[in-house]
Amino acid sequence: MELIDTHCHLTFDELAADVEAVLARSEEAGVTGWITVGTDTQQSRKAIELANEFENMYAAVGIHPHDAKDATAETMVELKELAQNEKVVAIGETGLDFHYNYSPHQDQKRVFAAQLKVAEEFNLPVIVHCREAFDETMEILEQSGSGVKRVVFHCFSGSAQQAKIVLDKGFHISFTGVVTFKNAEKTRDAVKIVPLDSLMLETDCPYMSPEPMRKQKINEPALMIHTAAFLAELKGMDLADFAEVVTATSKAFFSLPS
Ligand code: NI
């Protein structure tokens, strides 16, 4: 079996120190490819460095909405330079987070729009982080992202109604272990309407271990197998068949070698 963790943070301290063991456990579980995602220019640079060490690892470069307040014109120049590395397969994570509000909304919107322009310039897909800002996120994607061909809503925890709006735009939806949580009934309803050619999997590790491993404080790619098995069952499919289709979807979306 071959699964791809399309959104992990392998450069974060919780995982970086022991990354070879993390990847060995991942491969043993059937999670054989990884996209490690940057949250600022420093983490994005680290993501590229790490991806260059492992054949099946790729990098996404971007500024997280939490860090938007620190992004200057020079930051965007640096991001453009990073985006041209051959291991970079996406811009992200970027978007809006009106739950934590670590950056003012105006900064979040400005830096999100600027990153959509970078994605358009280099014809890269965009990994969108959207928390309690659904309408505003869709609005910026329409205004500034009209030239972006591939968009994924990562760690989707919205409703079926919101999923339909996202799918109608031709965007993809990615699920984390959150979908396995007891109180995630709304997200499970959304899963039911997402076709497998628009559905991807991720851990968003080191955060949010899936059930039945939720007590494991540091999530890692190996645990994505639990999310995959859970979603396969929800879709009424064998895990192997489900994995094959979802991996094909991920490879097509991120233009990974097949
Ligand atoms: Ni993330």
Side-chain angles (χ1 to χ4, degrees), residues 7 9 37 64 93 154 204:
H7 187 123
H9 299 286
V37 176
H64 196 285
E93 56 186 290
H154 113 89
D204 204 13

Side-chain angles (χ1 to χ4, degrees), residues 150-152 167 170-173 191 193-200 235 237 242 244-253:
R150 290 164 290 164
V151 173
V152 59
L167 294 169
F171 302 158
H172 281 51
I173 289 179
V191 170
I193 70 153
V194 184
L196 294 186
D197 60 0
S198 301
L199 187 153
M200 299 194 283
K235 289 290 195 187
M237 293 175 77
F242 176 80
E244 195 180 329
V245 184
V246 169
T247 297
T249 299
S250 306
K251 286 183 173 180
F253 182 85

Side-chain angles (χ1 to χ4, degrees), residues 95-98 105-106 108-109 112 116 128 130-144 153 162:
L96 303 176
D97 192 315
F98 293 176
H105 291 191
Q106 269 320 107
Q108 294 192 35
K109 289 179 178 180
F112 181 26
L116 291 173
V128 172
C130 168
R131 189 145 183 211
E132 291 176 25
F134 186 75
D135 294 343
E136 293 87 345
T137 299
M138 294 306 293
E139 198 180 304
I140 292 177
L141 283 167
E142 270 163 41
Q143 286 167 359
S144 305
F153 273 62
Q162 288 173 334

Side-chain angles (χ1 to χ4, degrees), residues 7-9 12 37-39 64 93 127 129 154-155 202 204-205 207-208:
H7 187 123
C8 48
H9 299 286
F12 285 12
V37 176
T39 50
H64 196 285
E93 56 186 290
I127 299 172
H129 171 112
H154 113 89
C155 193
E202 59 171 297
D204 204 13
C205 63
Y207 313 118
M208 290 184 298

Side-chain angles (χ1 to χ4, degrees), residues 9 35 37 60 63 65 82 89 98 101 115 129 147 151 180 191 206 209 215 217 222 225-226 235 239 242:
H9 299 286
I35 297 173
V37 176
I63 315 295
L82 295 173
V89 295
F98 293 176
N101 291 317
Q115 289 179 84
H129 171 112
V151 173
T180 68
V191 170
S209 299
K215 287 205 180 78
K217 280 221 170 61
I225 196 70
H226 299 288
K235 289 290 195 187
L239 176 57
F242 176 80

